[in-house]
Every structure is written in structure tokens, then in C-alpha cells.
Amino acid sequence: MNTTNGSVVKPNGTSSVGTYCVITYDSNTAKAIKIVALSVLMVISFVLNSLVIAVFAKTPSLQRTVNYFLVNMAASDLLISIAAIPKDILELSSGSTYWRVGGDFGHFLCILQSLLVDISAVVSILSMTCITIDRFCAVMMPLRVNLVPGKVRGFIIALIWVLSVVNYCYYFYTLRLDSDNQGNFICWMSFAPLDNTKMSTIVVTYVAVLFGCVPWILVAILYAAMIVGLKHARIQFEANDQNNVRLTRSTSVTRQAFVIVLVFGICFFPMSAIFLVIAHVFHFGCSPPYFAHLYFAAQFLMLSNAALNPCVCLFLSENYRNGLWKILKLNNLRRVYPGFALEEVREEPVTRVT
């Protein structure tokens, strides 16, 4: 389901533009605060994720399996700042959820916006799972190098995006663009001739179980095994300085990956719970007035993950910080000396991460 309220699921299986629940509107002050908060979040997310991708591309020592999946998450997070947050800002500022573009192009945008937003979440979840598996292999097999060949790694990343699109391929059939009696366009979801409420409940439950439960059970099991494996490895390698250094580096990267997974869970679980309540308690019908505030809080927390992920990379990884400093320093030198070449920059050695 569109986690940013992009598509409307109508209650009671209706298939025409009908009557909606009574909506409690925000005060001008509350609306302004939300718009400013979302705008700041959008800029931070776009800038920091772009920096993570740029640092990765410019720093050879970062181009290892775990960082490929981190950059894949950064690419999916960019979709949030491009496709999700601007729409929320527009709806808040106008006080309306009506779709702005009609016709075939409007229908295409209706599908595209919902698809981009929702595949972003799935890509992040699958990438996070791959990061955990990669760290598990690195901890359990510390003496093995290049466990995932480059071609296999590229195939996995492509498969993540393909599976994410396939998971929401029903959007091409169910998302509709209709107009009400006043000629306002509405982007909404219809499972006609099936019952809308029942089908929407099934879809929400399916997404919650497949992407909200299964990956987290796997992640919890693997990290529990990694904790045990790291303790045994420290005992085994404590007499060998070289292996001890390698183990320390692996532990550092694993800790960074764990923080990303933890932050992701904290940001996404409230929104998943909200959607389950909407489906199984309110049955996509009217909800209490206070629920709108809970929805926005959970939604904002979920969107903030797109800004927090690059923060973890840039602040917890010395290699990412060094790469960022290199890019900023080089750009400043080029402004002062337009003919400045990359080879002229003396770079301090960067620790390679296992």
C-alpha cells in the first residue's frame, strides 16, 4: 500500500467517487510547522544520500559488497525525497488530497508516484537483509575474501529492484484516476469487481508479514549468531595481531550495519502498525480525530529514515568521512585553482574495510 497516503482506498467496496469521512483540518500554525519539517527533511535526505553515492563512487576502498547494498539503500531513499515528500508538502499547503493532473498522463503519474514510493521501502528492506547476510558471512568466515563476486553482486541488486516492482505490479490494474462532481481528480485504488475492503486488508496483511515480519526474524537470528561468533573469534584470534586487526575492522563495519538496521526498524514499525490498525480495526473506514495526528507522526518517522541512513554512513564510518572530506576539499581547491587536477591532491591512506 502507498505508505505516504498517495492512493486512496475507498471503504465498503465502493467503485465510484463517493462520500468520505469528516476530516479535522490542522490550524495554520500546525500546517506551517509540518510543511517546514517536511521541507527540511526533503533537503537533508536529498543532499546526504547524494553525498553517500558520490563518496562511494569516488572512493575505491569503499567499493565492497556491504557498501554496494548501503548505496542501493541510498538510491531508494532518494525516491522518498523526490516522489513522496514533495507530494505531502503540496497536499498540506493546499489542504487537499486531490490529484493535480488529469487524463492519461495524470493516470500515468498516479501509478508512477505510488509505485516509486512503495518500491523504495521494499528495496530498502531487501538491501538491509542483504547487508545483514553479508555481515554474517564476514563474521562467520573472517578469512574468506570476496565472498560475493562482482557479477553476482550486480545481479542481486538488479533482482532487488525487479522483485520490488513485481511485488506492486497490481498497481497497474488497481490504481484509477476518477473525478468527482466538481471535476476534481482523485487517484485511488479499486479491486473491482472484488470487494475493496477485503482485498485491501489482504494486501496490507501480506505486505506486513512478507516485508515487516519475515526479514526481521531473519535479521534477528543472524545478528544473534554474529554476537556469538564475534565472541568466539576474539578468543580464537587474540594471540594473532593481524587477525585481531581484521576482526576489529569487521566488528566496526558490523556495528555500523546493525545501527542502520536498528534505525530502520524504529522508523518503519510504527507506520506498519498504523496500517494494520487501519485495515483490521477501522476496516479502511472512519477513524477517531486524534488518529490523524498519530498517522502523521508515524509517517514522518518513516520518511525520516531516508535522512538518518546517510547520517549513519557519514558519521559512523571513517572511510565515508574521509571520502566526503576529499570531495569537499577537491571542490574548494578547484574553485580557487580552476586547472587543479585530482592527481595533485595528496590523500591520506584510507583503511580498507573487510
Side-chain angles (χ1 to χ4, degrees), residues 181-245:
N181 295 331
Q182 286 74 41
N184 297 309
F185 298 110
I186 300 175
C187 174
W188 66 291
M189 187 175 291
S190 170
F191 291 93
L194 302 175
D195 183 85
N196 242 23
T197 302
K198 289 182 179 178
M199 287 303 301
S200 299
T201 302
I202 290 173
V203 169
V204 167
T205 306
Y206 152 76
V207 172
V209 171
L210 186 60
F211 298 110
C213 294
V214 175
W216 292 101
I217 293 173
L218 175 62
V219 166
I221 293 173
L222 293 181
Y223 270 106
M226 276 188 272
I227 292 173
V228 176
L230 285 171
K231 289 182 178 179
H232 289 174
R234 288 192 182 282
I235 297 173
Q236 181 181 356
F237 294 151
E238 62 181 1
N240 189 315
D241 291 339
Q242 183 177 358
N243 286 337
N244 230 349
V245 170

Side-chain angles (χ1 to χ4, degrees), residues 14-252:
T14 57
S15 58
S16 61
V17 179
T19 304
Y20 293 93
C21 303
V22 175
I23 300 175
T24 303
Y25 292 97
D26 292 323
S27 65
N28 290 335
T29 302
K31 186 187 296 185
I33 292 174
K34 289 181 178 180
I35 291 174
V36 171
L38 286 172
S39 300
V40 171
L41 184 62
M42 177 180 66
V43 173
I44 292 175
S45 173
F46 183 83
V47 172
L48 291 187
N49 282 296
S50 299
L51 284 175
V52 166
I53 295 173
V55 169
F56 172 81
K58 295 287 187 179
T59 310
S61 63
L62 285 174
Q63 295 171 11
R64 293 176 177 261
T65 300
V66 64
N67 290 313
Y68 273 93
F69 292 125
L70 285 174
V71 168
N72 200 43
M73 289 184 69
S76 69
D77 287 339
L78 277 176
L79 295 180
I80 296 296
S81 58
I82 294 172
I85 302 179
K87 179 177 179 294
D88 292 334
I89 294 174
L90 179 62
E91 290 180 350
L92 277 170
S93 60
S94 65
S96 167
T97 59
Y98 290 127
W99 203 249
R100 298 317 195 267
V101 184
D104 291 338
F105 185 63
H107 187 210
F108 167 76
L109 292 179
C110 168
I111 296 174
L112 181 64
Q113 190 273 341
S114 299
L115 190 64
L116 289 178
V117 173
D118 285 345
I119 67 173
S120 170
V122 176
V123 167
S124 293
I125 291 171
L126 294 179
S127 298
M128 177 202 67
T129 306
C130 290
I131 289 171
T132 304
I133 295 173
D134 174 79
R135 288 296 86 205
F136 174 80
C137 295
V139 169
M140 295 304 178
M141 295 174 281
L143 300 182
R144 295 284 300 274
V145 182
N146 294 329
L147 292 172
V148 182
K151 291 183 179 180
V152 175
R153 184 172 54 212
F155 173 78
I156 293 173
I157 291 175
L159 184 63
I160 287 174
W161 286 91
V162 170
L163 290 177
S164 300
V165 174
V166 169
N167 183 69
Y168 290 104
C169 63
Y170 63 89
Y171 277 12
F172 293 97
Y173 173 76
T174 58
L175 282 173
R176 312 289 176 85
L177 186 66
D178 289 334
S179 59
D180 61 12
N181 295 331
Q182 286 74 41
N184 297 309
F185 298 110
I186 300 175
C187 174
W188 66 291
M189 187 175 291
S190 170
F191 291 93
L194 302 175
D195 183 85
N196 242 23
T197 302
K198 289 182 179 178
M199 287 303 301
S200 299
T201 302
I202 290 173
V203 169
V204 167
T205 306
Y206 152 76
V207 172
V209 171
L210 186 60
F211 298 110
C213 294
V214 175
W216 292 101
I217 293 173
L218 175 62
V219 166
I221 293 173
L222 293 181
Y223 270 106
M226 276 188 272
I227 292 173
V228 176
L230 285 171
K231 289 182 178 179
H232 289 174
R234 288 192 182 282
I235 297 173
Q236 181 181 356
F237 294 151
E238 62 181 1
N240 189 315
D241 291 339
Q242 183 177 358
N243 286 337
N244 230 349
V245 170
R246 179 178 296 176
L247 179 63
T248 300
R249 294 172 183 170
S250 181
T251 303
S252 175

